[in-house]
Amino acid sequence: MEVTDALQQFATRMGDNTLILGHRVSEWCGHAPVLEEDIALANTALDLIGQTQFWLGLAAEIQDEGKSADDIAFLRDVWDFRNLLLLELPNDDFGRTLMRQFLFDAWQSIHLPRLALSSDPRVAAIAEKASKEVAYHVERSADTVVGLGDGSAESHKRMQAALDYLWPYVGEIFDTDEVDDVLSEAGIVTHPSSLKGEYYALIERVLTKATLSIPEDPFAHKGGRSGFRHTEHLGHILVEMQWLQRAYPGSKW
Amino acid sequence: MYAQMVKSTGNLKTRDEMSPEEAHFQDRIDAGEKIEPKDWMPEGYRKTLIRQIGQHAHSEIVGQLPEGNWITRAPTLERKAILLAKVQDEAGHGLYLYCAAETLGVSRDELTEDLLSGRMKYSSIFNYPTLNWADIGAVGWLVDGAAIMNQVPLQRTSFGPYSRAMIRICKEESFHQRQGYDIMMKMAQGSEAQKRMAQDALNRVWYPALMMFGPSDKDSVHSGQSMAWKIKINTNDELRQKFVDQTVPQAEFLGLTVPDENLKWNEEKGGYDFSEPDWNEFFEVVRGNGPCNTDRINARIKAWEDGAWVRDGLMAHAQKKSSQVAAE
């Protein structure tokens, strides 16, 4: 695999992660449990969509077919998406939404600062900017997970249920392939497997503080990162997200 | 400003009828001084302000819903980001308006309960649906435009915290209005379908936007006292006229038709003649019979009830932490 192809795949994965999670988080608009959370969720979604513009912009640039980040976001079908399955799962309650946010923020908070040292200046610049936002996201989502995990009996129960539900989707973060091998070889990315210990240490520290039990079953659902098999949920996200672009092709908005 | 028909508590008194405290209070207002939360104020002033600021805050919160309706369907990443930023601003406006109301001795939770039980209102405009993407443009252009028309003078309102909140809000609202107009420009210059969306949005939003200023002065019974207290600066009709005069040339520039056959420039008065909105419809919307009243309030009730365990959980955690600190 050529480095260029690998980098295009990588940028697509990064952009799809933030696009799909940004979509999910934005579904909360106007429905959060408290006004401060409405503001924080909108802010998080806004950062994620901003990161998407950079990553998918890079993917489009490398692809060099005259496409824009919008073309990539709005004109692909399910099989071309490369986001983690974790991020396309429905929001369910606020507890599951924040638990997922934490599990992803924790990964981003470890991954992005390494990418900021990338030998590719474009990757480094995007990661540098995004890592500042993510440092704030992870602080907030970790605090909320701790607050609700170690809160009332009801909130503890809900956070444990959220963790149990999401846990089988966490392992996909480390379902690496040739893309990761080629890019780490080229000094463009740090291989995710080398960050695995650090990631699990971080989430274990926070989840323990939240008085939650980490499920023992190591089983991991896979297929989002590779594009082989998404969940049924992604298609519905795309129906909604892409509707205007699909119904009125070629329009300027 | 999203306050309509705020009932003013207290009849307009003549100087002779005022107590020495009331006279002194009125002198301060007449001299352009700001009233601060710890200052003496008539009970009617306090109550009217709570209603007005509370209604404004509620409008910001409920106002997230019609725009939130399009975030997941925004047609480009940039439009999505701009809309998210705007809705986030509005939630922020709600937050500092609630804070301003709290300085008058009412809690945010009490105000929320009053909204959810229907004792307090929010602006009638948010009981109308957003049906196509151009509605998001029309909301920014017309709804935020009408809000700014009302809020700019309120920066000079007599109550300090409210005035300061308005100064902050006005800065952000003008950005909101510009982005709305920018969407309308793209639509009006776009494909036939886009033009149709733009005209359809204008047709539906025009009269509800005119209603935002409240009933005609001749039917507006609460204005006198509020104006003496500088809680209200201009009359409803003055602001409505100003809004029409500003907006009609913008619609013409877009190539859109304002849905009013009687709209005509009146050289003599230096403004447009225009049709009044259907006030019966307005009073029905205020009574709860707008197209979206039930859905909007149910959405807020659901958010509040579904979120109870979150608020309780975080409170329980905070209490554990503070008792740990106390024990150490």
Side-chain angles (χ1 to χ4, degrees):
Chain A
M1 181 182 252
E2 295 292 323
V3 170
T4 313
D5 295 335
L7 187 53
Q8 201 246 339
Q9 270 292 306
F10 173 79
T12 307
R13 286 174 178 175
M14 295 298 284
D16 285 348
N17 278 345
T18 51
L19 174 61
I20 298 303
L21 183 60
H23 181 99
R24 282 296 189 214
V25 175
S26 76
E27 289 175 359
W28 274 97
C29 177
H31 305 283
V34 64
L35 188 48
E36 284 80 352
E37 289 301 331
D38 264 318
I39 296 170
L41 288 166
N43 186 49
T44 303
L46 178 57
D47 287 345
L48 290 167
I49 297 303
Q51 292 169 22
T52 305
Q53 289 176 289
F54 288 116
W55 288 122
L56 294 187
L58 177 58
E61 184 187 315
I62 298 167
Q63 194 182 32
D64 199 23
E65 292 175 8
K67 287 185 182 162
S68 65
D70 283 337
D71 293 333
I72 295 186
F74 293 97
L75 299 176
R76 284 175 307 154
D77 205 340
V78 167
W79 56 62
D80 285 330
F81 272 76
R82 295 289 180 270
N83 59 283
L84 297 168
L85 298 177
L86 172 74
L87 308 176
E88 67 196 44
L89 299 172
N91 287 337
D92 196 61
D93 68 1
F94 183 80
R96 192 197 283 176
T97 301
L98 260 289
M99 179 60 80
R100 175 181 57 200
Q101 189 69 40
F102 167 66
L103 294 169
F104 181 67
D105 288 345
W107 167 241
Q108 291 260 83
S109 76
I110 288 167
H111 191 208
L112 287 169
R114 297 324 205 287
L115 291 181
L117 307 171
S118 171
S119 62
D120 185 302
R122 296 168 299 182
V123 171
I126 299 170
E128 170 76 27
K129 183 179 182 303
S131 63
K132 287 180 192 143
E133 295 166 352
V134 165
Y136 167 72
H137 295 174
V138 72
E139 191 184 321
R140 195 188 82 82
S141 60
D143 280 353
T144 311
V145 164
V146 170
L148 292 173
D150 184 26
S152 66
E154 168 77 4
S155 71
H156 176 84
K157 193 181 87 189
R158 283 176 181 261
M159 295 312 279
Q160 186 63 55
L163 180 60
D164 293 346
Y165 177 84
L166 295 170
W167 189 252
Y169 296 93
V170 172
E172 194 191 4
I173 294 171
F174 302 102
D175 179 33
T176 56
D177 58 14
E178 203 188 343
V179 171
D180 305 283
D181 301 339
V182 168
L183 293 180
S184 62
E185 189 73 21
I188 296 174
V189 308
T190 304
H191 204 285
S193 57
S194 70
L195 303 172
K196 197 170 175 177
E198 197 179 334
Y199 174 73
Y200 282 104
L202 170 58
I203 61 173
E204 196 182 322
R205 196 162 67 239
V206 171
L207 294 172
T208 303
K209 211 173 157 197
T211 70
L212 298 171
S213 322
I214 295 176
E216 283 169 14
D217 192 340
F219 177 79
H221 290 290
K222 291 167 188 171
R225 205 174 185 272
S226 68
F228 175 69
R229 187 173 64 206
H230 280 275
T231 68
E232 289 180 343
H233 306 295
L234 181 60
H236 294 277
I237 292 179
L238 299 189
V239 164
E240 193 170 338
M241 184 175 82
Q242 299 182 335
W243 175 70
L244 275 173
Q245 289 265 0
R246 299 288 195 177
Y248 303 97
S251 303
K252 298 270 174 287
W253 302 97
Chain B
M1 153 81 167
Y2 297 109
Q4 296 158 321
M5 301 186 65
V6 174
K7 190 164 173 286
S8 176
T9 301
N11 296 319
L12 188 52
K13 291 182 180 174
T14 63
R15 281 272 155 185
D16 294 343
E17 292 166 340
M18 288 181 192
S19 70
E21 278 168 319
E22 285 169 341
H24 175 66
F25 179 80
Q26 191 62 51
D27 288 341
R28 291 187 60 198
I29 288 181
D30 293 346
E33 284 182 40
K34 291 281 178 254
I35 307 300
E36 294 301 332
K38 286 190 174 147
D39 297 348
W40 184 88
M41 62 185 78
E43 192 54 17
Y45 178 84
R46 197 182 68 83
K47 283 193 170 151
T48 307
L49 267 175
I50 288 174
R51 283 198 201 104
Q52 182 166 329
I53 299 173
Q55 196 183 106
H56 188 166
H58 296 329
S59 299
E60 300 281 2
I61 303 312
V62 178
Q64 295 179 93
L65 297 171
E67 295 192 297
N69 184 38
W70 278 92
I71 289 177
T72 54
R73 290 180 289 169
T76 68
L77 294 170
E78 191 185 1
R79 290 290 177 206
K80 196 187 285 286
I82 292 171
L83 189 53
L84 275 165
K86 178 173 191 283
V87 176
Q88 186 194 356
D89 282 351
E90 274 149 15
H93 296 171
L95 190 59
Y96 40 86
L97 285 163
Y98 282 127
C99 291
E102 280 179 328
T103 66
L104 293 159
V106 63
S107 74
R108 202 208 302 179
D109 282 357
E110 286 171 301
L111 290 169
T112 302
E113 295 292 345
D114 283 348
L115 169 69
L116 300 183
S117 69
R119 279 192 299 275
M120 283 183 88
K121 303 283 183 205
Y122 53 90
S123 176
S124 58
I125 191 71
F126 301 117
N127 290 312
Y128 288 88
T130 50
L131 300 180
N132 80 57
W133 171 251
D135 283 52
I136 297 306
V139 166
W141 172 36
L142 301 174
V143 175
D144 292 317
I148 292 170
M149 203 56 87
N150 237 316
Q151 284 165 355
V152 166
L154 276 177
Q155 295 177 97
R156 292 180 283 115
T157 191
S158 60
F159 187 55
Y162 193 26
S163 160
R164 291 188 286 274
M166 282 301 150
I167 290 167
R168 238 178 115 173
I169 288 172
C170 278
K171 284 183 191 149
E172 293 177 350
E173 290 291 356
S174 55
F175 150 73
H176 295 173
Q177 194 194 13
R178 276 201 305 277
Q179 68 81 34
Y181 195 71
D182 187 56
I183 290 177
M184 291 308 271
M185 287 265 275
K186 280 277 191 310
M187 302 295 280
Q189 294 166 354
S191 67
E192 280 310 311
Q194 286 175 302
K195 284 180 190 147
R196 193 175 152 200
M197 288 179 212
Q199 185 62 53
D200 175 58
L202 177 58
N203 291 349
R204 283 180 290 102
V205 179
W206 176 255
Y207 286 107
L210 295 188
M211 292 174 193
M212 288 176 66
F213 299 97
S216 178
D217 295 344
K218 61 184 189 300
D219 302 316
S220 186
V221 287
H222 311 301
S223 290
Q225 180 63 76
S226 287
M227 291 185 80
W229 279 334
K230 292 191 189 167
I231 292 173
K232 191 178 170 108
I233 312 284
N234 303 88
T235 72
N236 297 349
D237 286 336
E238 279 169 13
L239 291 171
R240 192 168 13 249
Q241 181 70 52
K242 218 174 151 192
F243 174 75
V244 171
D245 292 345
Q246 175 188 291
T247 308
V248 169
Q250 295 171 346
E252 283 170 356
F253 184 76
L254 291 171
L256 298 176
T257 309
V258 174
D260 180 358
E261 287 177 359
N262 301 316
L263 187 74
K264 205 167 127 251
W265 178 255
N266 180 331
E267 193 62 50
E268 206 173 309
K269 79 171 180 188
Y272 285 90
D273 290 332
F274 59 94
S275 302
E276 291 277 310
D278 177 353
W279 290 115
N280 289 329
E281 176 181 313
F282 171 75
F283 288 112
E284 283 300 334
V285 174
V286 171
R287 277 202 324 125
N289 292 326
C292 300
N293 293 58
T294 309
D295 288 348
R296 297 283 188 250
I297 209 68
N298 284 351
R300 290 309 306 166
I301 290 171
K302 186 173 188 307
W304 188 247
E305 289 178 352
D306 288 355
W309 72 268
V310 176
R311 298 189 299 275
D312 293 347
L314 293 175
M315 195 71 84
H317 180 72
Q319 277 162 2
K320 281 185 200 175
K321 273 183 84 172
S322 63
S323 56
Q324 273 167 13
V325 172
E328 275 162 17

